[in-house]
Amino acid sequence: MKIEQIYTGCLAEAAYYIESNGEAAIIDPLREVEPYLMKASQNGAKIKYIFETHFHADFVSGHVDLAEKSGATIVYGPTATTSFEAHIATDGEQFKIGEVTITALHTPGHTLESTTYLLTDAQGRNHCIFTGDTLFIGDVGRPDLAQKGTLTMNDLAGLLYDSLNDKIKPLADEVIVYPGHGAGSACGKNMSKETFDTLGHQKQVNYALKAETKEQFIKEVTDGILPPPQYFAKNAAMNKGGYESIDEVYQKGLKSLLPQAFEDLANQSGALMLDTRDPQVFAQAFVPNSINIGLNGQFAPWVGALIPDLKQNILLITDEGKAEEAITRLARVGYDNTIGYLEGGIQAWKDAGKQTDQVTSISAVEFEQAYEEDQSILALDVRKPGEYESEHLEFTHSRPLDYINDWTHEIEDNKTYYIHCAGGYRSMIAASILKARGIDKVVDVAGGYGAIKNTSLKRTDFVCPSKLAKA
């Protein structure tokens, strides 16, 4: 028996490869399926099943492509309906992969079709559970995504409580928990950085598993949930209804364009120009009106949060050799309309005599000096509300990047704005968006709040986020 967790950090997502006696199964695959096919081929195994724990909202699964290319059967839990061929399991139904058995345990709550898959080894011992978004390490799945009709968030939380207590908690303490996500995912609010644990330890430390009553559980699980990113419902619809092959996405997107052709296509198509280089590199010189979301961060989730239209045409400016990676990571969250990339990157653009723009970026010390010279400066903290409430500079205004489309209209183009986040990644995204929207006087504070804390600028007293959640 072989079990491999395939963890993708930028999405905080875990897929799983299971193999026994020449047969394999994949749980919750990502959009690009070649790695799974290659792994099975190298091991001399045939992929028999593709198990989906639920209709994912935070990424587009590779189930449709993988089934077509491998001949494997897609399996969903009870109540799921799809527009493609899939086996809808019954609660308790068993599937054989070589000498191991996978049992579908219907665990609704995060979504109605949510299913946990229990793996039993060749000796008949319950070895592990693949919980998807039902149970995380340190948390459980948010219960607000599948509300419909008269079904409320509290109703779903109640279902989740029953699922955990009836199906999961009775399992032995030594059973390993393999969740669908880790820290950084928006599918929960208190996830650990650990990506697996024993069920026994989770019973001791996971607040949701320690709740003594259903009422207490519902209150704790629903408290402090932020609105889901706008792309969640759209990704769930793609996972349920199908999508075009990743091969077609690559065919459209992997078109190298010389600077003039790039500029012409940008003007003709209304495409969004997306620059995926590191923030401080971007700041020095970029194609005017391009937006910076760096590949070396939570690239796909921020694209999903900030670009409202999944069908938006996108033109890429990347570091050399990074175009395919950017296209892949865009497709993971449903942005399939990349239509080309700038050949030679920003250097080719400059060599062609094209105009560039810049974002002024200053150190935390320079920011401190600017405030000492003028205490009326406008400073925007673009971290999440919880981060800001936990601790912030006394004179900054909270303007979360997540909601930039809601507050941009408040910005006056004749004023200068100093922008910071926690470390510098999000502030450059915000600065580039404001620049593209005609707000020219933006100043990025490099290193963000992490660097600012080393200055003498006055900060509010630190409040533990867990205390804020209970307030």
Side-chain angles (χ1 to χ4, degrees):
M1 177 179 72
K2 177 180 181 180
I3 300 170
E4 182 177 349
Q5 183 185 68
I6 306 168
Y7 198 79
T8 304
C10 71
L11 284 175
E13 192 271 346
Y16 295 90
Y17 176 88
I18 304 163
E19 185 190 311
S20 174
N21 270 15
E23 293 185 333
I26 312 295
I27 296 180
D28 294 340
L30 284 183
R31 181 78 180 271
E32 67 280 13
V33 301
E34 207 56 43
Y36 310 116
L37 296 167
M38 189 178 302
K39 188 179 294 290
S41 175
Q42 289 171 345
N43 293 343
K46 178 176 175 57
I47 300 175
K48 187 177 182 181
Y49 294 112
I50 302 157
F51 293 104
E52 290 284 339
T53 55
H54 64 294
F55 293 121
H56 306 282
D58 60 312
F59 70 97
V60 178
S61 175
H63 54 309
V64 176
D65 251 359
L66 186 55
E68 185 174 321
K69 292 178 178 180
S70 69
T73 299
I74 300 170
V75 179
Y76 274 96
T79 77
T81 57
T82 67
S83 61
F84 46 84
E85 188 174 344
H87 177 87
I88 308 303
T90 56
D91 189 22
E93 185 172 353
Q94 296 188 331
F95 303 84
K96 294 291 291 186
I97 299 114
E99 294 184 346
V100 305
T101 302
I102 299 285
T103 303
L105 305 177
H106 189 207
T107 50
H110 175 65
T111 65
L112 292 176
E113 78 287 344
S114 285
T115 296
T116 293
Y117 295 102
L118 169 65
L119 185 147
T120 306
D121 65 20
Q123 288 72 45
R125 292 188 295 261
N126 291 338
H127 177 74
C128 63
I129 46 177
F130 302 95
T131 55
D133 290 16
T134 294
L135 175 62
F136 298 124
I137 307 306
D139 202 0
V140 290
R142 57 191 298 165
D144 62 320
L145 299 183
Q147 301 175 73
K148 60 176 74 173
T150 59
L151 195 65
T152 67
M153 175 172 64
N154 283 3
D155 294 332
L156 286 161
L159 287 174
L160 184 56
Y161 176 85
D162 293 337
S163 294
L164 293 167
N165 282 274
D166 296 346
K167 299 290 182 65
I168 292 180
K169 286 175 73 173
L171 296 171
D173 286 353
E174 64 267 21
V175 168
I176 300 169
V177 177
Y178 286 122
H181 292 288
S185 168
C187 293
K189 60 182 181 179
N190 193 45
M191 282 180 253
S192 168
K193 291 180 181 178
E194 302 300 322
T195 60
F196 64 92
D197 195 5
T198 63
L199 180 58
H201 188 244
Q202 282 302 293
K203 290 176 186 177
Q204 294 173 14
V205 301
N206 190 320
Y207 77 99
L209 295 187
K210 294 195 297 180
E212 295 179 359
T213 66
K214 182 182 285 192
E215 290 71 23
Q216 180 190 351
F217 176 90
I218 291 172
K219 183 179 185 304
E220 291 185 352
V221 168
T222 58
D223 186 44
I225 294 180
L226 294 173
Q230 61 86 28
Y231 74 103
F232 268 29
K234 301 167 187 176
N235 277 198
M238 289 179 71
N239 283 319
K240 188 174 184 178
Y243 46 77
E244 66 181 313
S245 169
I246 191 75
D247 299 333
E248 296 171 14
V249 176
Y250 288 139
Q251 189 175 5
K252 283 188 299 185
L254 285 173
K255 293 178 180 174
S256 62
L257 300 166
L258 293 172
Q260 189 59 52
F262 183 92
E263 184 176 37
D264 291 343
L265 187 55
N267 291 333
Q268 294 163 10
S269 66
L272 173 73
M273 292 180 291
L274 183 60
D275 192 317
T276 67
R277 295 174 297 150
D278 283 351
Q280 290 301 312
V281 177
F282 169 86
Q284 296 169 23
F286 57 89
V287 176
N289 298 318
S290 59
I291 303 300
N292 175 240
I293 305 180
L295 276 178
N296 292 332
Q298 286 197 304
F299 173 74
W302 279 115
V303 167
L306 298 171
I307 302 176
D309 184 7
L310 289 189
K311 299 186 183 302
Q312 170 72 55
N313 286 334
I314 294 173
L315 285 166
L316 293 171
I317 303 106
T318 71
D319 287 322
E320 189 69 28
K322 291 290 187 177
E324 184 171 344
E325 179 185 345
I327 292 167
T328 300
R329 290 169 66 176
L330 286 166
R332 285 176 182 167
V333 286
Y335 293 83
D336 290 354
N337 286 350
T338 300
I339 57 174
Y341 65 94
L342 179 60
E343 183 176 334
I346 196 67
Q347 189 59 51
W349 183 266
K350 291 193 285 189
D351 290 346
K354 299 290 186 183
Q355 181 183 356
T356 61
D357 202 350
Q358 296 81 36
V359 168
T360 301
S361 187
I362 62 173
S363 68
V365 171
E366 290 172 311
F367 178 50
E368 181 180 26
Q369 291 169 348
Y371 179 72
E372 288 173 352
E373 292 170 7
D374 179 7
Q375 296 190 3
S376 67
I377 65 171
L378 295 167
L380 308 181
D381 184 331
V382 299
R383 296 176 299 160
K384 292 181 181 294
E387 294 174 272
Y388 181 84
E389 291 164 11
S390 178
E391 185 181 4
H392 60 268
L393 292 175
E394 290 183 349
F395 62 92
T396 53
H397 303 278
S398 177
R399 295 293 184 272
L401 174 60
D402 306 62
Y403 311 118
I404 193 169
N405 293 328
D406 298 328
W407 56 257
T408 304
H409 69 277
E410 302 173 8
I411 303 300
E412 300 177 47
D413 59 12
N414 63 334
K415 294 183 178 178
T416 299
Y417 294 88
Y418 294 81
I419 305 173
H420 81 80
C421 59
Y425 180 82
R426 289 173 284 178
S427 59
M428 193 60 70
I429 298 174
S432 68
I433 291 172
L434 293 178
K435 280 282 239 180
R437 293 176 179 176
I439 311 300
D440 195 52
K441 298 177 181 178
V442 292
V443 180
D444 171 70
V445 182
Y449 197 69
I452 289 169
K453 288 173 74 170
N454 295 321
T455 70
S456 60
L457 290 169
K458 289 186 178 180
R459 310 190 303 270
T460 60
D461 292 334
F462 176 76
V463 179
C464 179
S466 62
K467 290 183 179 179
L468 285 168
K470 294 174 183 176

